[in-house]
Amino acid sequence: MTGAQFFRKNWDGVLTSNELSDEADDFAREYLNIHNDIYTATDFAEILAAGLPTVYHVEDTIENYRIIEPVISERYRDWKRQKTDITKAVAAAAY
């Protein structure tokens, strides 16, 4: 079962902040550049939808998951590192 299939089956195809931890929500909002419920999925569009008419033409397959998952995981690691660096810098400035 793909992630999209899980969301359609269990949450009517909707993923909201209620289903995410605070950290996951913070990351998703920044990663997807969410503003007023409009978002951009740049990696998805540039990697999976490249050459397709629209992002809606990307097939929901495990193969596509395997392509995009490492990209999103790396973005998450980078985001966590950046947050840690900022926290350390603020703490150091306080002393």
Side-chain angles (χ1 to χ4, degrees):
M1 175 181 295
T2 66
Q5 291 166 346
F6 176 84
F7 292 119
R8 281 192 296 273
K9 180 179 179 184
N10 295 291
W11 290 326
D12 296 326
V14 178
L15 177 64
T16 68
S17 297
N18 295 334
E19 286 82 34
L20 301 174
S21 68
D22 290 342
E23 180 177 89
D25 185 51
D26 289 346
F27 169 71
R29 287 182 176 284
E30 190 169 320
Y31 176 70
L32 296 172
N33 194 23
I34 297 174
H35 298 286
N36 299 323
D37 293 329
I38 298 171
Y39 69 91
T40 57
T42 304
D43 288 330
F44 185 85
E46 290 178 355
I47 295 168
L48 294 179
L52 297 176
T54 71
V55 296
Y56 300 104
H57 288 84
V58 175
E59 292 185 39
D60 180 21
T61 65
I62 196 67
E63 291 80 14
N64 280 335
Y65 167 80
R66 289 183 179 135
I67 292 168
I68 201 67
E69 185 278 329
V71 175
I72 295 171
S73 292
E74 182 61 27
R75 299 281 193 250
Y76 176 70
R77 286 188 295 273
D78 290 345
W79 179 82
K80 291 256 313 178
R81 272 191 292 270
Q82 180 183 21
K83 294 293 180 191
T84 300
D85 291 347
I86 291 169
T87 301
K88 288 179 182 177
V90 168
Y95 289 108

